[in-house]
């Protein structure tokens, strides 16, 4: 199954390889009606139900020993409304198929994350986001949702219809029902000019507020064990289109960012002492470049080197302190970290359990190469993030529980009350939801 999660001999595994489950059965429905029937049958049989996308979550949010719903037949564009400027897609549609289909129609999403392997419902239900000064997560671009609830009925919601469900279900964690279709706001396709350039760690933090204010989409990567970062700013452009050349693109995105990086990680895993030296070289290998292309070709890039990840949203004004503490911790700890730390931003939004709910946010993501011990690094990073009232990404590794979330999400009780109403029997429950939402 290539880059997606795999199931062998009845065992389901996620992309990162750190979560596995053995469902009692798998169902691949071809319509909302078939999915609703599968949900009713599971309830009769006393089995829990979970839908799984491509398995790009590092948490066990999709794991179940009950009925696993696979959405690969629920794909494609259902409707395109040029007057309302919306597109309605089936929940199992991969983002890359949506992006390509919209581009053919001269349309685009406003903002997106940095990969596009995931299904639209998997990405939105866990709060997947890119970076943006005004434009927020993929879920924040949702205009309407269709979901199958625990009683087997099909519920539609929007700002006007079932607005309290709409407020929560855009990032619903799979707890409120199984999403079958999503309506996104779209706009005429546009060009982005990306400017990537190295910048010192201290300078990027000193100038962060200005870099954030002057660019529609600003992000940077800091290489642990160095004082180096690579910055990326994406801004709308009048053109002309100047894509990355095929050879340069292959060299920078495939050879350096995936091929050499994979080998460097193998070396680092075998001989951790080499990691700081590798980090110094790789943080300098990426030279400055500028290119102009349509959004999905600028926002997203292939990520073939497998890893595990933790990401927290902290209040945007707490970013510099958070990163300085993270750097001091790595320098002090004797840890060997071969993956760069990724920093992005999002404006406050109005989605109940969005990591940016009600506050302007900065995201700090820490990664470890798949197969290397990550607990010590992630635990130390997490204690820094939580000291700043951080909110973990729902699809990435963290150790927080419902008690913690009730403290950092002002509307947490609103979400759990809605879940009590829509799924009183906890048909969509699993261990992860029991931990993060409470029993």
């Amino acid at each position: 199954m290539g880059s997606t999660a795999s199931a062998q001999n009845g065992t389901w595994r996620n992309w990162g390889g750190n979560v596995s489950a053995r469902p009692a059965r798998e169902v691949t429905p071809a319509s909302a009606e078939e999915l609703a029937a599968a949900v009713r049958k599971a309830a009769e049989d006393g089995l829990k139900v979970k839908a799984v996308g491509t398995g790009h979550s590092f948490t066990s949010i999709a794991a179940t020993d009950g009925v696993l719903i696979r959405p690969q037949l629920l794909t494609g564009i259902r409707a395109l409304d040029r007057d309302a400027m919306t597109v309605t897609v089936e929940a199992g549609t991969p983002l890359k198929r949506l992006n390509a289909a919209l581009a053919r129609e001269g349309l685009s999403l406003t903002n997106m994350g940095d990969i596009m392997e995931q299904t639209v419902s998997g990405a939105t239900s866990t709060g997947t986001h890119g970076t943006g000064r005004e434009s927020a997560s993929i879920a924040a671009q949702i205009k309407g949702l269709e979901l199958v609830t625990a009683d087997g009925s099909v519920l539609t919601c929007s700002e006007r219809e079932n607005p309290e469900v709409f407020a929560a279900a855009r990032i619903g964690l799979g707890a409120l029902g199984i999403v079958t279709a999503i309506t996104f706001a779209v706009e005429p396709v546009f060009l982005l000019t990306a400017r990537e350039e190295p910048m010192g760690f201290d300078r990027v933090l000193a100038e962060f507020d200005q870099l954030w204010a002057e660019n529609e989409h600003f992000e940077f990567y800091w290489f642990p064990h160095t004082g180096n970062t690579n910055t990326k700013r994406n801004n709308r452009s009048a053109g002309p289109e100047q894509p990355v050349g095929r050879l340069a693109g292959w060299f920078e995105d495939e050879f350096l960012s995936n091929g050499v990086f994979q080998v460097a990680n193998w070396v680092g895993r075998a001989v951790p002492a080499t990691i700081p030296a590798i980090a110094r070289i790789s943080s300098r290998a990426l030279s400055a470049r500028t290119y102009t292309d349509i959004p999905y070709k600028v926002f997203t890039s292939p990520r073939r080197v497998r890893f595990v990840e933790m990401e927290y949203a902290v209040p945007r004004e707490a970013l510099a302190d958070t990163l300085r503490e993270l750097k001091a911790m790595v320098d002090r700890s004797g840890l060997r970290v071969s993956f760069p730390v990724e920093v992005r931003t999002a404006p406050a939004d109005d989605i109940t359990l969005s990591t940016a709910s009600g506050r302007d946010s900065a995201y700090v993501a820490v990664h470890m190469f798949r197969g290397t011990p990550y607990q010590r690094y992630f635990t130390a990073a997490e204690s820094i993030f939580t000291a700043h009232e951080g909110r973990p990404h729902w699809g990435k590794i963290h150790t927080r529980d419902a008690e913690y979330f009730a403290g950092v999400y002002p509307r947490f009780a609103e979400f759990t009350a809605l879940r009590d109403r829509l799924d009183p029997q906890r048909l969509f429950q699993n261990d992860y939801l029991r931990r993060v939402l409470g029993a």
Side-chain angles (χ1 to χ4, degrees), residues 57 59 61 95 112-114 118-131 136-142 168-174 182 309 311-313 344-347 349 351-357 361 363 391-396 409 432:
S57 288
T59 57
I61 190 164
L95 283 165
M112 54 196 81
D114 55 14
Q118 319 98 305
T119 60
V120 292
S121 58
T124 54
S125 295
T126 54
T128 300
H129 61 90
T131 190
S137 70
I138 308 178
Q141 299 167 67
I142 294 177
R170 283 172 286 170
I171 299 181
L173 318 185
I182 301 177
E309 179 177 0
E311 180 188 69
Y312 267 75
R344 296 176 288 175
T345 69
D349 65 39
I351 304 171
T352 319
L353 290 188
S354 163
T355 44
S357 186
S361 301
Y363 292 96
R391 297 166 177 171
H393 188 302
W394 296 107
K396 297 176 186 175
Y409 282 102
Y432 181 75

Side-chain angles (χ1 to χ4, degrees), residues 144-209:
L145 276 177
E146 175 186 274
L147 66 161
V148 171
T149 53
D151 61 4
S153 59
V154 181
L155 178 79
T156 53
C157 62
S158 66
E159 277 170 7
R160 288 174 304 285
E161 189 182 8
N162 297 309
E164 73 298 342
V165 178
F166 184 67
R170 283 172 286 170
I171 299 181
L173 318 185
L176 305 174
I178 295 178
V179 176
T180 46
I182 301 177
T183 301
F184 290 105
V186 292
E187 58 174 303
V189 74
F190 52 94
L191 291 174
L192 284 171
T193 292
R195 188 171 139 211
E196 298 175 9
E197 64 173 335
M199 194 180 287
F201 180 85
D202 294 327
R203 185 183 153 204
V204 94
L205 290 190
E207 297 177 17
F208 177 75
D209 289 337

Side-chain angles (χ1 to χ4, degrees), residues 251-272:
F251 182 70
E252 288 161 339
D253 298 323
E254 285 298 341
F255 184 68
L256 285 180
S257 299
N258 285 299
V260 171
F261 190 50
Q262 176 83 48
V263 173
N265 272 284
W266 281 332
V267 172
R269 184 166 68 186
V271 192

Side-chain angles (χ1 to χ4, degrees), residues 16-329:
N18 65 316
V19 177
S20 61
R22 288 188 73 99
R25 62 173 182 253
E26 293 193 16
V27 183
T28 311
S31 66
E33 292 69 39
E34 282 184 23
L35 200 157
V39 166
R40 287 193 294 268
K41 176 90 173 73
E44 280 167 32
D45 295 346
L47 293 170
K48 305 289 187 195
V49 189
K50 290 272 49 131
V52 65
T54 54
H56 272 76
S57 288
F58 300 99
T59 57
S60 51
I61 190 164
T64 186
D65 55 7
V67 177
L68 190 68
I69 305 279
R70 294 210 171 251
Q72 58 261 42
L73 299 182
L74 293 171
T75 59
I77 291 182
R78 212 186 259 193
L80 192 57
D81 185 337
R82 287 184 185 273
D83 296 328
M85 285 305 275
T86 60
V87 63
T88 302
V89 284
E90 304 281 346
T93 309
L95 283 165
K96 63 175 162 207
R97 276 187 53 189
L98 172 62
N99 287 335
L102 287 175
R104 284 196 296 273
E105 298 286 345
L107 300 168
S108 177
L109 293 172
T110 300
N111 199 354
M112 54 196 81
D114 55 14
I115 62 167
M116 52 178 180
E117 285 11 87
Q118 319 98 305
T119 60
V120 292
S121 58
T124 54
S125 295
T126 54
T128 300
H129 61 90
T131 190
R133 185 182 58 203
E134 285 97 21
S135 54
S137 70
I138 308 178
Q141 299 167 67
I142 294 177
K143 291 290 173 199
L145 276 177
E146 175 186 274
L147 66 161
V148 171
T149 53
D151 61 4
S153 59
V154 181
L155 178 79
T156 53
C157 62
S158 66
E159 277 170 7
R160 288 174 304 285
E161 189 182 8
N162 297 309
E164 73 298 342
V165 178
F166 184 67
R170 283 172 286 170
I171 299 181
L173 318 185
L176 305 174
I178 295 178
V179 176
T180 46
I182 301 177
T183 301
F184 290 105
V186 292
E187 58 174 303
V189 74
F190 52 94
L191 291 174
L192 284 171
T193 292
R195 188 171 139 211
E196 298 175 9
E197 64 173 335
M199 194 180 287
F201 180 85
D202 294 327
R203 185 183 153 204
V204 94
L205 290 190
E207 297 177 17
F208 177 75
D209 289 337
Q210 184 186 347
L211 288 161
W212 170 82
E214 287 173 358
N215 294 284
E216 292 170 65
H217 307 275
F218 178 69
E219 65 187 303
F220 67 94
Y221 296 84
W222 162 58
F223 294 81
H225 313 298
T226 77
N228 307 331
T229 79
N230 198 39
T231 62
K232 183 174 180 181
R233 34 193 121 178
N234 299 327
N235 289 288
R236 293 192 184 219
S237 157
E241 224 169 287
Q242 286 179 309
V244 176
R246 188 160 281 180
L247 185 61
W250 175 84
F251 182 70
E252 288 161 339
D253 298 323
E254 285 298 341
F255 184 68
L256 285 180
S257 299
N258 285 299
V260 171
F261 190 50
Q262 176 83 48
V263 173
N265 272 284
W266 281 332
V267 172
R269 184 166 68 186
V271 192
T274 59
I275 287 174
I278 292 170
R280 284 191 292 276
I281 297 163
S282 57
S283 67
R284 294 203 179 97
L286 297 166
S287 49
R289 62 175 182 170
T290 302
Y291 50 96
T292 301
D293 214 329
I294 61 172
Y296 83 85
K297 295 185 177 176
V298 173
F299 284 131
T300 71
S301 53
R303 292 265 194 282
R304 303 194 207 289
V305 180
R306 304 239 172 172
F307 54 82
V308 289
E309 179 177 0
M310 166 181 281
E311 180 188 69
Y312 267 75
V314 296
R316 202 180 69 234
E317 62 275 13
L319 175 69
D321 285 347
T322 303
L323 277 178
R324 285 195 186 98
E325 290 160 27
L326 192 65
K327 187 173 190 300
M329 178 275 288

